[in-house]
Amino acid sequence: AFLYVNFSGFTDIAIGSGWMFNLKLTENFHFPLLSHSIQNFWQRWHLSLSKFITAYMFKPMLRRTGKPALSLVVTFTLIGLWHNVSVGYFFWGVGHGAALALTMYYRGLKRPPLPMPMIVRRAGGIVITLTFVSLMSTIANQPSNRDLARYVASFVGVHL
């Protein structure tokens, strides 16, 4: 949440500063903390970068490979490494790309709708999405590979 508030605040300052010069800058966030799926998160988070990445990385790779899942994983892995060349950001990119690919696969399946109200599904989706995004961000931002290994090992009860 801190990253979002910080980043969104700077974006709002840039938008307001642009108004002083009669420049209209687009919004960069659309309530990402209300995202009900990982796909919905990326439709709401850092919109300017998402448009750029879609146009200049994902779509060309998709045209070349014809494989949307592979294109998603490779694109997000490169985005992660662009943020910081580290093991944590590598896993961040692979994780986000894989989550998007799995979402795409799941939505393509023919299945009956879940027998619960939409509001319950949305609320559950928000919790799951924000937990996943927070987990991946925590993995990406571990200060060292040793800290990353300790953090990941703690999930399975191993103490390093």
Side-chain angles (χ1 to χ4, degrees):
F2 174 77
L3 175 65
Y4 165 63
V5 171
N6 193 17
F7 199 7
S8 183
F10 283 128
T11 301
D12 289 342
I13 290 170
I15 291 170
S17 299
W19 287 349
M20 293 189 316
F21 299 101
N22 202 27
L23 296 172
K24 173 133 174 56
L25 303 174
T26 61
E27 287 289 331
N28 211 18
F29 299 95
H30 186 68
F31 304 104
L33 300 181
L34 298 177
S35 302
H36 55 83
S37 70
I38 193 65
Q39 182 181 19
N40 187 242
F41 176 81
W42 284 107
Q43 291 167 342
R44 295 167 172 259
W45 178 265
H46 207 331
L47 303 176
S48 58
L49 181 61
S50 294
K51 286 178 188 174
F52 178 85
I53 295 299
T54 299
Y56 295 105
M57 286 180 72
F58 174 72
K59 285 184 178 179
M61 192 173 307
L62 178 59
R63 281 192 297 272
R64 176 161 276 224
T65 66
K67 298 179 180 180
L70 175 64
S71 299
L72 283 167
V73 173
V74 170
T75 298
F76 271 87
T77 301
L78 292 173
I79 292 169
L81 294 173
W82 171 77
H83 277 80
N84 185 10
V85 178
S86 68
V87 174
Y89 271 97
F90 172 79
F91 285 130
W92 179 94
V94 170
H96 276 277
L100 284 163
L102 287 171
T103 299
M104 183 180 60
Y105 171 77
Y106 180 75
R107 289 193 173 157
L109 296 175
K110 300 289 184 210
R111 64 195 191 298
L114 294 173
M116 64 179 73
M118 178 61 83
I119 188 78
V120 173
R121 287 186 290 188
R122 288 286 167 121
I126 290 170
V127 169
I128 291 167
T129 300
L130 293 182
T131 300
F132 175 78
V133 169
S134 297
L135 174 68
M136 296 311 295
S137 293
T138 303
I139 286 172
N141 289 293
Q142 290 298 307
S144 70
N145 289 343
R146 184 170 175 80
D147 291 323
L148 174 60
R150 282 186 189 146
Y151 181 74
V152 172
S154 70
F155 281 96
V156 292
V158 174
H159 298 286
L160 300 177

